[in-house]
């Protein structure tokens, strides 16, 4: 599975955080992984591990998002946009294997598929501030 597809599946699971308690997310991760066709054990582990790491840091990640999204409270940010931002902020701040420009580019690509056109520029603008 490509890195983009892995990232997209992680985004889909992170989207569920807004509708489930943190305690329920391990079960949601398992449900989600069972629904993905032709998933190798390596990809399953990658998705599960990365999603669990992001969820464990969600408080810190949300603080970062709140600090750089001027005039936008977390409650005001769309749920899809918030899931994309959480994934990208994790990659930028906590995953040294992924370059900043790749994380931002991938976040914008996810926004093209799952969000409005305005959301793309919002996500790009917010994530660009992480480099300032």
């Amino acid at each position: 599975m490509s890195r983009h597809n892995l990232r997209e599946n992680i985004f889909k699971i992170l989207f569920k955080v807004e509708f489930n308690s943190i305690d329920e997310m391990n079960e949601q991760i398992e449900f989600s992984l069972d629904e993905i066709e032709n998933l190798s054990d390596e990809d399953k582990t990658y998705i599960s591990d990365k999603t669990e790491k992001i969820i464990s840091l969600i408080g810190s990640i949300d603080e970062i998002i709140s600090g750089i999204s001027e005039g936008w409270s977390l409650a005001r940010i769309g749920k899809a946009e918030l899931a994309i931002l959480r994934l990208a902020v994790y990659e930028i701040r906590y995953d040294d294997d992924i370059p900043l420009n790749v994380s931002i580019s991938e976040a914008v690509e996810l926004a093209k598929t799952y969000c409005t056109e305005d959301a793309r520029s919002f996500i790009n603008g917010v994530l660009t501030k992480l480099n300032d």
Side-chain angles (χ1 to χ4, degrees):
M1 183 174 283
S2 72
R3 286 285 181 173
H4 176 78
N5 290 79
L6 291 169
R7 191 176 276 109
E8 184 173 29
N9 283 297
I10 293 167
F11 153 75
K12 288 177 181 178
I13 298 169
L14 289 175
F15 181 78
K16 296 178 180 185
V17 168
E18 292 301 302
F19 305 99
N20 295 277
S21 72
I22 297 298
D23 295 334
E24 296 170 321
M25 285 309 298
N26 283 335
E27 191 174 313
Q28 290 299 319
I29 291 168
E30 288 303 316
F31 287 147
S32 298
L33 293 174
D34 289 343
E35 294 176 356
I36 303 169
E37 295 181 15
N38 303 320
L39 188 63
S40 71
D41 288 340
E42 181 181 334
D43 290 343
K44 183 177 183 174
T45 299
Y46 180 86
I47 292 169
S48 178
D49 288 352
K50 190 165 183 175
T51 304
E52 288 172 4
K53 288 176 187 175
I54 294 168
I55 291 170
S56 74
L57 293 166
I58 213 156
S60 300
I61 292 169
D62 285 354
E63 284 181 31
I64 293 168
I65 294 169
S66 292
I68 58 176
S69 59
E70 298 168 10
W72 288 80
S73 67
L74 292 179
R76 189 172 170 214
I77 298 173
K79 293 180 182 356
E81 291 87 341
L82 184 56
I84 292 168
L85 286 169
R86 285 172 170 162
L87 173 55
V89 168
Y90 171 82
E91 289 181 345
I92 293 166
R93 287 288 168 95
Y94 301 99
D95 191 340
D96 296 333
D97 294 336
I98 302 172
L100 173 77
N101 60 337
V102 171
S103 295
I104 293 173
S105 176
E106 286 290 329
V108 171
E109 285 301 313
L110 285 170
K112 285 180 183 178
T113 303
Y114 295 100
C115 305
T116 65
E117 192 168 320
D118 290 341
R120 296 178 213 162
S121 58
F122 172 74
I123 288 170
N124 187 50
V126 168
L127 294 176
T128 301
K129 290 180 184 178
L130 281 176
N131 199 30
D132 293 344

